[in-house]
Amino acid sequence: MTSTLHWLRNTALTQWLAQYSHLLGNRDALLISGEQLGQLPDKPPVKQSIYARKNDAECLGNTLPTYVMLKSDEEWVELVLSFRQQITW
């Protein structure tokens, strides 16, 4: 089981990293949702995995950077359950 899934719902990834990157462990991952998907940098800003829900991406109509791994609703549930803890930002 991996460590922490940081779910960014109300904070842009670059802003979150500027403030909280020290909280991101080697086995952590990031889940980006909502409007935050439209604010992603072109290149991966961290070595940890970055996920998004397919439905969120389709609703926004944005083309996401290739480092973002899209998850269906079923895969999203499995992803959340695979982490020891989840923090929503």
Side-chain angles (χ1 to χ4, degrees), residues 59-86:
C59 286
L60 290 174
N62 292 349
T63 300
L64 299 179
T66 57
Y67 62 83
V68 177
M69 294 177 268
L70 296 176
K71 297 291 183 181
S72 68
D73 287 342
E74 293 163 352
E75 292 169 327
W76 169 73
V77 171
E78 291 174 12
L79 176 70
V80 170
L81 293 175
S82 72
F83 283 84
R84 191 173 325 189
Q85 61 184 353
Q86 174 188 317

Side-chain angles (χ1 to χ4, degrees), residues 7 16 19-21 29-30 33-34 38 48 50 67-68 70 73 76:
W7 188 355
W16 186 88
Q19 292 182 298
Y20 302 111
S21 63
L30 295 156
S33 65
Q48 289 84 354
I50 298 177
Y67 62 83
V68 177
L70 296 176
D73 287 342
W76 169 73

